[in-house]
């Protein structure tokens, strides 16, 4: 006979869901959390990706890539043989539930966060039900607070190449060409998951009609190659793709490390991350960027081109005392992508360094260690709520309170 078990901070769940609840709790202890949902959307998302047996196996992994033998030492009671474990892990990789890395010809396996991770890896498995559950889950306040915890963001914004003048000091980790030149192969180009999701909902991207705009490099590229999604290209082809993305006005958002393993090219109409930034009252309290746009009001003719270029609603047109229309940069919202600079027909905008420069960690391993430490601080959720409250008080922007689910 079926029965139900009630767990703290979670909805009533069926006994058959217990592997998924345990996996949710396991993933919630990772650097990028996976908090319980009041609606059960967390369990439904996991069911889309894992079978019950795969959920049990996934609990034997961590966010640190490990070889098969170490995972087998934990999973041995759950599988018949070492080969059976390897087969199960391969199935989980194919479904975008876990990631792999290649080191000294040895495959290593690790848990993937929901974002950036399992969600993006559902590129070939998107369904209307998954999209609905993902939206419901990520709209909950509990998920939002968990995702925003910490001083460092999982991604960051770097300026488009054409917006950087010779007079502006720019570190190599903020130069897209330097990042690509130093990146480890392979290089895989992918359709944008956010644009594909919008297309399935009947919405067309307003920024570009190109599909293959996002990129996996190095370790994450090994995962998508194993999954059979995306298209492997050369380093030079990767550079040409990013140059096209810049021409299309897409915002460059790589992993927040000096050694990048993914590079998103985002638009304000489709991208979930830019959508979050537009919803937050003070997005820069939760986002790393080293630049901002500066306006020469004497040169500006108020044409409004910068408003069309901006993907975060940071530009407006106002009328001065002489009844002249001038652009205004909202520094609370500007993420320093540089597209307003390249689009200005009279060169009234420039990109300048922010006062406090952020140097990203060396690689994803270091970033995860930082994120986990920040997350484990006992006051981490309180700090997030404090930042949000400050942002609402400063900007008087109440949308976040009105739109978030309980």
């Amino acid at each position: 006979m079926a029965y139900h078990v009630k767990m703290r901070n979670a909805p009533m769940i069926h006994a058959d869901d217990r592997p998924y609840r345990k996996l949710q709790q396991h993933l919630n202890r990772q650097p990028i959390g996976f908090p319980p949902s009041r609606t059960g959307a967390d369990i439904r998302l996991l069911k889309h990706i894992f079978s019950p047996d795969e959920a049990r196996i996934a609990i034997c992994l961590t966010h640190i890539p490990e070889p098969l033998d170490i995972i087998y030492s934990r999973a041995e009671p759950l599988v018949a043989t070492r080969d059976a474990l390897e087969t199960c892990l391969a199935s989980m990789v194919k479904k975008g539930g876990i990631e792999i890395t290649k080191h000294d010809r040895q495959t290593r396996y690790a848990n993937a966060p929901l974002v950036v991770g399992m969600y993006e890896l559902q590129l070939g498995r998107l369904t209307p039900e998954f999209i609905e559950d993902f939206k419901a889950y990520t709209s909950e306040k509990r998920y939002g607070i968990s995702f925003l915890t910490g001083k460092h963001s999982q991604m960051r914004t770097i300026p488009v190449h054409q917006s950087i003048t010779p007079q502006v000091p720019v570190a190599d980790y903020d130069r897209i060409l330097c990042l690509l030149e130093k990146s480890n192969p392979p290089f895989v180009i992918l359709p944008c998951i956010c644009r594909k999701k919008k297309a399935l909902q009947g919405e067309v991207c307003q920024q570009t009609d190109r599909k293959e705009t996002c990129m996996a490099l190095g370790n994450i590229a090994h995962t998508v190659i194993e999954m059979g999604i995306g298209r492997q290209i050369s380093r030079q082809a990767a550079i040409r793709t990013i140059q096209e993305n810049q021409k299309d006005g897409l915002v460059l958002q790589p992993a927040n490390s000096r050694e990048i393993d993914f590079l998103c090219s985002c638009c304000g109409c489709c991208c979930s991350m830019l959508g979050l930034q537009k919803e937050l009252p003070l997005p820069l309290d939760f986002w790393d960027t080293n630049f901002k746009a500066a306006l020469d009001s004497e040169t500006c003719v108020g044409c409004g081109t910068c408003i069309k270029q901006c993907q975060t609603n940071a530009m407006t047109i106002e009328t001065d005392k002489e009844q002249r229309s001038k652009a205004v940069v909202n520094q609370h919202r500007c993420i320093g992508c540089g597209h307003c600079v390249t689009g200005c027909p009279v060169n009234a905008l420039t990109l300048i360094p922010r006062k406090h420069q952020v140097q990203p960690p060396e690689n994803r391993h270091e970033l995860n260690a930082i994120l986990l430490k920040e997350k484990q601080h006992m006051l981490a959720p309180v700090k997030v709520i404090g930042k949000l409250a400050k942002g609402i008080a400063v900007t008087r922007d109440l949308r976040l309170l009105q739109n978030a689910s309980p």
Side-chain angles (χ1 to χ4, degrees):
M1 180 179 294
Y3 61 94
H4 293 80
V5 178
K6 186 172 182 179
M7 305 185 69
R8 186 181 180 187
N9 295 326
M12 295 289 288
I13 62 170
H14 194 279
D16 293 342
D17 291 344
R18 282 188 290 182
Y20 298 104
R21 178 57 65 203
K22 290 181 179 180
L23 177 56
Q24 173 269 311
Q25 293 168 342
H26 173 72
L27 294 175
N28 198 34
R29 292 189 287 268
Q30 308 300 318
I32 306 295
F34 195 92
S37 164
R38 296 185 184 277
T39 66
D42 55 341
I43 301 300
R44 294 193 296 273
L45 289 173
L46 293 176
K47 282 185 173 182
H48 175 84
I49 302 171
F50 302 93
S51 70
D53 286 341
E54 290 169 344
R56 295 183 182 96
I57 296 296
I59 297 171
C60 299
L61 280 64
T62 74
H63 67 279
I64 300 174
E66 296 175 317
L68 183 64
D69 288 340
I70 290 180
I71 299 170
Y72 183 59
S73 68
R74 303 186 195 117
E76 188 173 2
L78 302 174
V79 293
T81 64
R82 182 182 180 279
D83 289 343
L85 173 63
E86 189 171 22
T87 299
C88 182
L89 292 173
S91 171
M92 294 157 69
V93 172
K94 289 284 188 181
K95 293 161 68 175
I98 62 175
E99 299 175 3
I100 62 170
T101 65
K102 301 286 187 178
H103 183 74
D104 294 335
R105 298 184 180 180
Q106 182 185 60
T107 300
R108 300 187 180 191
Y109 305 85
N111 289 131
L114 179 63
V115 179
V116 173
M118 290 186 285
Y119 163 64
E120 287 78 11
L121 294 175
Q122 299 310 299
L123 188 62
R125 306 181 71 246
L126 277 181
T127 64
E129 294 77 16
F130 180 85
I131 293 172
E132 182 179 351
D133 287 332
F134 180 79
K135 181 179 180 180
Y137 180 62
T138 55
S139 296
E140 291 189 26
K141 293 178 183 177
R142 185 178 295 178
Y143 173 81
I145 291 172
S146 174
F147 186 76
L148 296 172
T149 295
K151 295 180 180 179
H152 292 75
S153 53
Q154 194 184 16
M155 305 164 70
R156 62 194 174 98
T157 300
I158 60 172
V160 296
H161 179 71
Q162 296 93 329
S163 66
I164 303 172
T165 62
Q167 296 78 23
V168 177
V170 183
D172 284 354
Y173 49 75
D174 278 327
R175 292 182 182 271
I176 182 58
L177 296 183
C178 290
L179 285 174
L180 290 176
E181 288 291 351
K182 294 179 179 180
S183 294
N184 295 321
F187 299 86
V188 177
I189 187 172
L190 302 153
C192 172
I193 185 74
C194 297
R195 291 190 195 96
K196 182 169 184 178
K197 181 183 71 173
K198 288 288 188 178
L200 289 174
Q201 296 173 311
E203 300 179 40
V204 178
C205 179
Q206 303 301 307
Q207 197 66 29
T208 182
D209 57 2
R210 294 168 53 244
K211 301 295 188 293
E212 294 181 325
T213 57
C214 294
M215 203 169 295
L217 310 89
N219 287 330
I220 291 184
H222 290 300
T223 300
V224 298
I225 289 172
E226 195 76 16
M227 293 180 67
I229 60 176
R231 181 166 55 89
Q232 192 167 348
I233 58 177
S234 67
R235 189 187 305 271
Q236 286 305 312
I239 292 173
R240 289 194 296 271
T241 297
I242 296 303
Q243 289 171 338
E244 289 297 313
N245 291 353
Q246 293 178 102
K247 290 179 182 178
D248 284 350
L250 302 180
V251 178
L252 304 181
Q253 303 200 107
N256 195 4
S257 56
R258 281 170 279 171
E259 178 185 301
I260 63 172
D261 47 17
F262 68 84
L263 173 57
C264 293
S265 296
C266 305
C267 59
C269 55
C270 301
C271 173
S272 298
M273 204 66 72
L274 287 181
L276 173 63
Q277 291 169 354
K278 288 195 290 186
E279 191 168 298
L280 291 171
L282 295 177
L284 295 181
D285 280 352
F286 305 95
W287 194 254
D288 288 346
T289 178
N290 283 329
F291 296 89
K292 62 181 180 180
L295 176 76
D296 181 349
S297 59
E298 294 301 318
T299 305
C300 177
V301 295
C303 66
T305 301
C306 54
I307 294 179
K308 298 176 183 178
Q309 294 286 107
C310 182
Q311 302 295 306
T312 60
N313 299 336
M315 306 297 299
T316 55
I317 297 293
E318 296 183 2
T319 304
D320 63 16
K321 295 178 180 179
E322 285 76 31
Q323 298 301 307
R324 296 178 303 177
S325 295
K326 300 290 182 182
V328 176
V329 184
N330 183 342
Q331 294 299 345
H332 292 315
R333 311 212 67 82
C334 176
I335 59 174
C337 70
H339 279 299
C340 63
V341 175
T342 61
C344 181
V346 294
N347 298 320
L349 286 154
T350 55
L351 207 62
I352 61 175
R354 290 189 175 274
K355 182 177 180 180
H356 300 291
Q357 293 287 292
V358 179
Q359 179 173 305
E362 180 63 32
N363 50 41
R364 193 181 185 192
H365 177 74
E366 288 188 11
L367 176 62
N368 277 338
I370 293 170
L371 294 175
L372 186 58
K373 183 178 180 180
E374 293 175 345
K375 176 188 173 184
Q376 290 173 337
H377 193 285
M378 62 182 299
L379 296 179
V382 176
K383 290 181 178 180
V384 174
I385 295 171
K387 287 181 179 180
L388 293 174
K390 181 194 75 174
I392 292 171
V394 169
T395 64
R396 300 185 183 277
D397 185 348
L398 302 179
R399 290 174 302 144
L400 193 64
L401 297 177
Q402 297 165 347
N403 297 337
S405 302

